[in-house]
Structures are given as structure tokens and as C-alpha cells.
Amino acid sequence: MDSVDVVVIGGGPAGLLAAGKAAADGASVILLEKMEKPARKLRITGKGRCNITNTKPYDEFINDIFPEPRFLRDAFNSFFSDDIIRLLNQQGVATVEERGMRVFPTSGRAWDVAEALVKWARANGVKIYNHAHVTDITSTQGVVTGVKYTDKDSNSKGVECKSIILATGGKSYAATGSTGDGYKLASSLGHTITPLLPALVGVETRPAISLKDNLLLRNVNLSLFIEGKKVDEEFGELEVTSYGFNGPIMLRLSRRIVFALSKGSRVDLELDLKPALSHEKLDARILREVDENPRIAVANLANRLLPRDLASVMIDEIGLAAQKNLGRLTTGERKSIRLWLKEQRFEVLAQRSWPEAIVTAGGVSLKEVNPKTMESKLVRGLFFAGELLDLDGSTGGYNLQIAYSTGWLAGKSAAPPIQ
Ligand SMILES: Cc1cc2nc3c(=O)[nH]c(=O)nc-3n(C[C@H](O)[C@H](O)[C@H](O)COP(=O)(O)OP(=O)(O)OC[C@H]3O[C@@H](n4cnc5c(N)ncnc54)[C@H](O)[C@@H]3O)c2cc1C
């Protein structure tokens, strides 16, 4: 049986940073990853481009983290966005900052980020075992003693160790290996798991705008109503899908929606396709078209206001005669167009499910983890890192930074011999 100082369970960004740091600080480290290679999820982040982190200062950064961002103060103090950028640059991954202070690899390949972290961990002395599916954590009198895992040929194996860093990720996109095993392992040792919900996810609405293909809309505004009260709004890009909505602004609103739905609250979205124009200005714009082009068809007006696919949906839904001359457009029809463009309401029926969620909200309760070390308050020698914890961030590089920072701090804390 292998015997080491530290076993890291899970080879995502949290596990790789934890293992690499513990090894750099002198610990003997084995990382057990159940898939055929580490960091499968990291390789598909940011639509394959990987939004590595965000360079907002700490005080702003934490506004995009839930539910208790201040839990991360020590983790961010020990390793923040400038540290991961430096580490990757040293490993040969050049980075570039884009709109919203989001950082990407210059190559545009998430794969390069994953390979660099694996290479760095190995160079520090970490032994990585792939196809190693951890099934148990063993402990005696409240102190960890080792782990049990099965290898590629389903043989049962074990490793003895002084410390264990659990970094198995959330339970979304399970095909990447993040199947939620860590929640079971942690609760078998007495840890509380707060309710798990898919966050950063699209939603199903009634009605849904029926289009042949998904359509990306730019510069639109989406307002969120919970129990009839407006609670939030986002401006930017929205993907209209056959079931409802997805894409950047939808994802940013989704966390609140998912929690509201889980409590049985009524949730509605209001879409403003022309947020730059007030109702009056939009009406004036339509009237100008009518005055200047009384003989063109209503369909032409719709095509001037909207992408073609959406224009025909508007004509159908309002019940306009597409070929009618603009000059014959009634005041009532003009009002219907204006309301359709600025105030379409959609009831949210459900969020899309786990395989499509970018991140898991909920996880190992922060009350039972020491924020200065990431060590369990219940079991000595057990540390946590990454999405497994009850922490999640918005889109923009926050979730990966949570993984690196908690991983780094856990690795640093686990490395010295536990007294
Ligand atoms: C499509 C998509 C795009 C995303 N894009 C971004 C982005 O651009 N920027 C950003 O900040 N965040 C992004 N995220 C979120 C981010 O990828 C995750 O928050 C992050 O990967 C979490 O890191 P982790 O190390 O905690 O967990 P994971 O990356 O999930 O890694 C956990 C690892 O543990 C392994 N494992 C699980 N159970 C066991 C077991 N029993 N034994 C051994 N190994 C096990 C898994 O195989 C996996 O390799 C995206 C997520 C998705 C799904």
C-alpha cells in the first residue's frame, strides 16, 4: 500500500493547485483522479477558451460570490488573480484581459491552461493516478488515516496518509467526472451538505419564443420579477432557445431564479428588445417609418426593427397582416408592436437540469470548515477545496478563482505534518 503525507482527491483546478502547492512545500503527494486524465471540466470552460480569472480588486470581486464571500478572505489573501496569472505565465501560458476584466489564455485554448497546471503539479513532485475512483475515506478517532479507491481494472486499492484534500467538484456536467461523489464522502464523515441546486443555468418559460434555431440577441434587457416584484435586471447578450432563455444575461439572473423556484415562488421575466428607446421614442420611430414609407409592407418594418427570424414571430404573435401597407397600420397595432418589443412577459416554469448547469450552488457547509486553513472542524487532517464547498460565483472567472485559491490554501495548510 502507498503511504504519503497528502492525498488529494480530484484533479480539477482545485485539486491540482492543492497538490502542487503541498508538494512545493515539501509534502509527498498523490493525486487520485477518477477520469482518464485530470481537469476534464477545465478543458471545456469558457466555451473552450477558459475565462481563467477576473482582475477586479478584492472588494468588487467578492460581490460576485455567494453565499458567504468573506469566507474566502484568507484564501484570496494567500492566492489571488495575479498569482494564477503569474503561475500560468511562468508555465508558458500567455494571458490576455478582455471586457469586464476577464482573463483568458492568449491562445484561446482552455486545454493549454489544464495542461500547464498538470505539468506544474507534476514538476513539483505530485504523483497523479488516473482512473483512480475514490470510494472511501478512512479515519480513526476523528483523524484521517487514508483512502480507498478502485483502479482501471476495478481492483480495490488504498493509500495511507496524514492529510486528505477533498476536491471532487460539484455535480453539474457529470460527464466530466464531477458526479457529486465528494458530498457523499464528506457526509459519511459527519459533514453537513447544504441543499444542492444547479446555478448558472438556462430556464424554461411559458410561452417560449418559437424559433427554428437558437438566436443570440445583443443589447437587450431582461428584468426579473419574483412574486410580481421586480428584483433585478441585466443588460447584454441573451440566447433565445426552443425552451426559453440561456446565454450571458440569463445566466447572471439564474441563481436568484433557481432559489426562488425552489421555494415555490412565482418567477417572471420581462424582455425589452429595445432598451435604448423609451416607449415614446420607439413610437416616434415607428411613426417616422410610417410617414416616410407608407407603401412598404408591415413585414419590412418588422425586419428593420428585429432580426428576420424574430420579426416573423412578432408578426405572427401580434396577428399582423404581413403584406399590409404601413400606411394602414392602426394605432392599436402600433401599440401592440411597441409592447411586444419592450414588455414581453414570460413565466419561468423551471431551470434546466444538472447536465447543463455551469456550477453547483450549495455544498459542504462553511460553518464546519476553518477559513484560515480549509481544514474540517470535525475531522483532523481533512481539508476541502473548490466547488464542493458551499460557494459559487457568477460568470466572469470567479468560479475558477475560488477553486485555485481554496486549493492553494488547503495545499499550504495540509503540507506540514499534522501534530
Ligand atoms: C461548461 C462550463 C464552463 C465553465 N466555464 C468557466 C469559466 O470560463 N470560468 C470559470 O471561472 N468557471 C467556469 N466554469 C466553472 C468551473 O469549471 C468550475 O467551478 C471548476 O472547474 C471547479 O473546480 P473543482 O476543481 O472544484 O472541480 P472540478 O473541475 O469539477 O474537478 C473535480 C475533479 O474531481 C474528480 N472526481 C470526482 N469524484 C471523484 C472520485 N470519487 N475520485 C477521484 N476523482 C474524483 C472529477 O473527475 C474531476 O476531475 C465552467 C463550468 C462548466 C461546466
Side-chain angles (χ1 to χ4, degrees):
M1 190 188 285
D2 286 311
S3 179
V4 286
D5 294 327
V6 179
V7 167
V8 177
I9 309 174
L16 288 168
L17 266 289
K21 175 60 178 162
D25 285 359
S28 53
V29 183
I30 288 179
L31 185 154
L32 301 172
E33 165 54 51
K34 78 173 176 190
M35 303 301 278
E36 79 292 353
K37 58 170 157 319
R40 285 268 310 255
K41 189 174 275 181
L42 179 56
R43 292 168 202 268
I44 59 161
T45 52
K47 298 208 163 96
R49 292 181 62 224
C50 184
N51 182 183
I52 297 168
T53 187
N54 195 293
T55 59
K56 277 184 190 158
Y58 171 82
D59 286 345
E60 287 176 42
F61 197 104
I62 60 171
N63 292 335
D64 280 288
I65 294 176
F66 314 95
E68 265 186 66
R70 289 188 191 280
F71 177 86
L72 288 166
R73 202 186 53 199
D74 291 290
F76 284 166
N77 268 337
S78 70
F79 193 87
F80 200 39
S81 50
D82 49 340
D83 297 301
I84 188 65
I85 291 169
R86 193 175 317 113
L87 189 154
L88 288 170
N89 291 168
Q90 281 164 356
Q91 295 304 305
V93 178
T95 49
V96 58
E97 191 173 311
E98 297 188 2
R99 191 171 41 84
M101 303 174 96
R102 295 170 308 150
V103 178
F104 292 86
T106 310
S107 68
R109 287 192 304 260
W111 194 273
D112 295 350
V113 177
E115 286 297 303
L117 294 182
V118 173
K119 198 174 92 191
W120 170 78
R122 283 211 169 101
N124 286 347
V126 177
K127 284 190 194 154
I128 299 179
Y129 294 3
N130 294 321
H131 294 292
H133 184 163
V134 174
T135 51
D136 270 307
I137 293 177
T138 53
S139 64
T140 309
Q141 293 176 335
V143 184
V144 298
T145 53
V147 304
K148 291 185 183 151
Y149 68 96
T150 52
D151 70 8
K152 194 176 183 186
D153 304 317
S154 303
N155 297 318
S156 294
K157 301 225 163 146
V159 189
E160 284 175 354
C161 58
K162 296 178 190 134
S163 305
I164 293 170
I165 301 175
L166 193 52
T168 45
K171 60 175 279 188
S172 73
Y173 271 80
T176 62
S178 321
T179 46
D181 293 3
Y183 304 120
K184 287 178 218 126
L185 291 168
S187 63
S188 74
L189 293 164
H191 274 276
T192 309
I193 310 299
T194 63
L196 304 173
L197 290 168
L200 299 184
V201 68
V203 302
E204 295 172 13
T205 61
R206 181 170 55 206
I209 298 178
S210 58
L211 291 169
K212 276 194 257 77
D213 299 305
N214 290 358
L215 178 69
L216 187 69
L217 299 172
R218 294 200 164 80
N219 303 324
V220 299
N221 201 79
L222 198 60
S223 298
L224 170 60
F225 293 77
I226 295 178
E227 293 295 342
K229 188 165 164 264
K230 182 168 168 178
V231 294
D232 206 352
E233 67 182 315
E234 287 284 348
F235 170 80
E237 290 182 356
L238 177 71
E239 195 180 344
V240 180
T241 67
S242 56
Y243 54 77
F245 298 118
N246 210 323
I249 63 173
M250 184 63 251
L251 296 182
R252 288 205 290 275
L253 293 174
S254 64
R255 187 179 201 278
R256 254 181 133 148
I257 295 179
V258 168
F259 277 84
L261 290 174
S262 77
K263 289 184 194 132
S265 302
R266 160 123 191 173
V267 180
D268 296 278
L269 290 166
E270 189 176 277
L271 176 60
D272 184 349
L273 293 160
K274 295 286 168 198
L277 298 175
S278 64
H279 277 269
E280 293 70 33
K281 283 200 171 135
L282 181 58
D283 201 36
R285 156 102 201 265
I286 297 171
L287 271 178
R288 200 175 65 234
E289 292 280 355
V290 172
D291 286 346
E292 288 173 5
N293 307 294
R295 287 180 195 287
I296 68 166
V298 167
N300 289 21
L301 170 71
N303 287 336
R304 285 179 196 197
L305 293 168
L306 289 170
R308 193 168 286 269
D309 288 353
L310 203 53
S312 57
V313 173
M314 179 177 83
I315 287 176
D316 285 352
E317 288 194 358
I318 299 179
L320 297 169
Q323 295 314 320
K324 180 163 107 169
N325 282 351
L326 261 198
R328 292 176 50 222
L329 201 64
T330 65
T331 311
E333 286 170 334
R334 241 175 43 230
K335 183 176 175 196
S336 300
I337 292 174
R338 190 162 42 78
L339 291 178
W340 201 90
L341 290 172
K342 285 196 72 68
E343 285 185 14
Q344 273 192 84
R345 277 276 180 136
F346 303 86
E347 182 186 356
V348 178
L349 302 177
Q351 71 264 10
R352 299 291 280 178
S353 63
W354 288 106
E356 292 179 32
I358 303 285
V359 77
T360 304
V364 171
S365 170
L366 303 181
K367 292 195 182 84
E368 297 162 0
V369 181
N370 181 346
K372 293 188 188 323
T373 58
M374 296 295 138
E375 189 174 11
S376 161
K377 291 180 182 172
L378 311 182
V379 184
R380 291 212 39 214
L382 177 66
F383 295 79
F384 297 99
E387 200 178 314
L388 170 73
L389 288 160
D390 180 11
L391 286 165
D392 59 285
S394 190
T395 57
Y398 306 99
N399 286 296
L400 284 174
Q401 187 65 49
I402 295 173
Y404 319 128
S405 299
T406 53
W408 184 272
L409 182 55
K412 185 175 155 188
S413 315
I418 306 292
Q419 297 303 314

